[in-house]
Amino acid sequence: MVDNLPIFPNSRPFTLDDTEWFYHYYIDNGFSPYVDIHPENLYVWLNIHNDLAISKSDGAIILSYTNALDKDNHNIIPLANPINDLVVKKIMSYLESISKPLEIREIPSIICNKLDQNQWRIDDDRDSFEYILDTDQQSKLEGKIFHHQRRRINYFEREHPSNTVEINFYKEFNDNLKQTFYHHIDSMPFNSNINSSQDNVIEPITIRKNLEYASIFNKKALEIRINGNVVSLVMFSYLDENTAAINHLKVDYSVQYIFQYTIYQLAKILKQEGINEMNVEQDLGISGLRIFKERLRPSRFLEKKIIRPRHL
C-alpha cells in the first residue's frame, strides 16, 4: 500500500481501509505505544474534521490534518524510523509556499535522533506528551509515592461496601453497552474536572465515532455501578501485546474518588489480561487535566517534539 501512495505534497484521504496495513507499518517501525499515530486514533481523533490525508516522501509516510481543537492549526507529521533531513526540508518548503508557520508538531521523539541539529531546532512539545501508567504499580499502589492514591482507594471502599459495587469488564461491545455510553455522554463530566470538560468539547464527537467503529476496532470497556447506578465508564483498546490505550474515561464526580478507584480497578483487570502499561494519552495543555494525570504517578512519558528551522 505504501508504494501506491501519492508523492507529497499531493495526497489522498486516509480511509478505514488504511487502518489495517497502517497498523503493520506502526508496529514494524517501532511507533508503539504512541497512541496518537495508532491507526484507530488517526481515523477517529486526527480525522475529526474529515481532512486527514496521507502521502509519502523519501522513505516516510506523511500525514496532514487539522488540529482537533483549533481549526486554524494544520499539522503535517512525517513518519519513518528515523525521519531524515530531506523529508523535513521538503515539508518546510511546502509550509513556506503556503505561508504557514515553519514548524511541524507532535513528532515522536524516538524518530528524531538522526536529524541534523545544525539545521533544525528540536524542542519539547509538552502539551502532546503521552502519559504511561504501569499496571503493576497502579494495581498494587505500594510505596510512599502512591500514599495518596492508597488512602483514596481505602476511603472509597469504606464508603461503599463491596456488595454494593459492581465491576463489569467487557471484552467487546454489544448494543446494550453502546446505549449505556450514549446515555451517559451528556450526563458525566469528562476526564478530570468540570472546567477541563468544558474546554474539551471535541470528546463527545470522538466517543460517538469510536462507538460507531467499536466492533471493527475491537474496543473494550469497563463499567462500574453502585447500587445499580452507572458511576464510571471506560473505553479502551490494545495498542499492542503490552499496552492498552485508555480512549475515554467518564465518571460521576459526585462519587468521591471514583476516578482513582476506576484507574485502580482497570489496572487490576489489565494486569490479569497480560497488559503491562496503560497509555492515558495527552493532556492537550489543559492545566487541570495535566495536574490530574501527573498525580496518577506515571511510570514514564512518551515525548513529542516540535521541529523548526534553526536559522530563519
Side-chain angles (χ1 to χ4, degrees):
M1 290 300 297
V2 175
D3 293 340
N4 297 327
L5 293 176
I7 304 297
F8 179 83
N10 297 313
S11 64
R12 67 163 175 79
F14 185 93
T15 69
L16 184 62
D17 289 339
D18 290 314
T19 58
E20 183 173 353
W21 70 261
F22 190 88
Y23 177 74
H24 297 289
Y25 186 81
Y26 169 87
I27 294 296
D28 292 345
N29 281 273
F31 298 145
S32 187
Y34 280 92
V35 69
D36 279 0
I37 54 175
H38 187 277
E40 295 174 14
N41 233 36
L42 291 179
Y43 191 72
V44 172
W45 179 256
L46 295 192
N47 198 32
I48 198 70
H49 298 298
N50 298 312
D51 66 350
L52 177 65
I54 188 168
S55 60
K56 65 179 180 180
S57 177
D58 301 283
I61 284 180
I62 312 294
L63 300 169
S64 62
Y65 61 95
T66 299
N67 184 283
L69 300 179
D70 182 0
K71 291 184 178 181
D72 295 325
N73 183 358
H74 197 79
N75 194 35
I76 297 175
I77 295 182
L79 288 177
N81 195 1
I83 52 175
N84 62 59
D85 297 311
L86 183 57
V87 171
V88 175
K89 187 177 295 185
K90 288 184 176 180
I91 293 173
M92 294 299 178
S93 296
Y94 172 72
L95 291 173
E96 185 174 28
S97 73
I98 60 174
S99 302
K100 294 294 185 181
L102 301 185
E103 60 182 28
I104 53 179
R105 293 178 168 269
E106 300 186 50
I107 308 299
S109 62
I110 61 168
I111 67 176
C112 296
N113 56 8
K114 297 294 185 180
L115 291 175
D116 182 359
Q117 297 198 30
N118 291 318
Q119 291 190 66
W120 316 112
R121 194 172 86 241
I122 304 172
D123 300 315
D124 286 343
D125 191 354
R126 179 61 185 85
D127 293 350
S128 297
F129 281 20
E130 297 176 13
Y131 293 72
I132 300 294
L133 307 181
D134 182 290
T135 58
D136 187 61
Q137 291 178 349
Q138 297 291 329
S139 61
K140 293 178 178 176
L141 300 178
E142 295 176 338
K144 184 177 180 180
I145 192 173
F146 291 107
H147 169 72
H148 291 295
Q149 281 101 314
R150 269 199 318 276
R151 187 173 63 182
R152 288 164 180 168
I153 298 304
N154 291 337
Y155 177 92
F156 180 93
E157 291 180 338
R158 287 196 305 269
E159 289 294 304
H160 305 284
S162 59
N163 62 349
T164 71
V165 178
E166 181 182 349
I167 300 166
N168 300 312
F169 169 42
Y170 297 89
K171 293 190 176 183
E172 58 186 31
F173 269 73
N174 55 39
D175 289 341
N176 288 337
L177 182 59
K178 287 183 181 180
Q179 289 306 313
T180 300
F181 269 82
Y182 281 126
H183 176 74
H184 288 279
I185 283 174
D186 298 319
S187 62
M188 291 182 185
F190 295 108
N191 285 333
S192 63
N193 58 40
I194 293 175
N195 291 333
S196 294
S197 72
Q198 291 170 343
D199 291 333
N200 194 4
V201 295
I202 297 298
E203 189 164 10
I205 300 172
T206 62
I207 293 176
R208 288 183 172 91
K209 195 167 183 180
N210 265 321
L211 288 171
E212 181 181 353
Y213 295 100
S215 297
I216 295 173
F217 291 155
N218 297 312
K219 297 293 182 183
K220 306 174 193 315
L222 173 68
E223 174 195 66
I224 298 179
R225 294 174 179 260
I226 297 179
N227 296 327
N229 298 316
V230 176
V231 295
S232 178
L233 287 169
V234 187
M235 182 191 298
F236 60 98
S237 56
Y238 296 157
L239 297 175
D240 54 32
E241 295 179 350
N242 186 61
T243 311
I246 313 307
N247 305 126
H248 305 287
L249 197 165
K250 293 172 62 63
V251 301
D252 180 352
Y253 280 96
S254 68
V255 180
Q256 193 167 11
Y257 301 140
I258 182 58
F259 186 96
Q260 292 84 352
Y261 187 73
T262 300
I263 293 291
Y264 170 68
Q265 289 294 342
L266 181 59
K268 291 203 298 184
I269 288 170
L270 290 174
K271 184 182 175 184
Q272 290 174 355
E273 292 292 303
I275 300 297
N276 297 319
E277 293 188 323
M278 299 184 286
N279 186 327
V280 293
E281 306 192 352
Q282 45 183 276
D283 59 42
L284 302 171
I286 300 172
S287 59
L289 192 53
R290 177 169 299 180
I291 291 170
F292 219 81
K293 290 190 176 186
E294 287 178 344
R295 286 177 177 171
L296 291 173
R297 302 300 186 184
S299 59
R300 62 189 178 112
F301 294 96
L302 299 182
E303 297 184 358
K304 309 271 187 66
K305 299 296 183 180
I306 305 171
I307 303 173
R308 301 182 180 95
R310 185 164 292 281
H311 305 292
L312 294 178

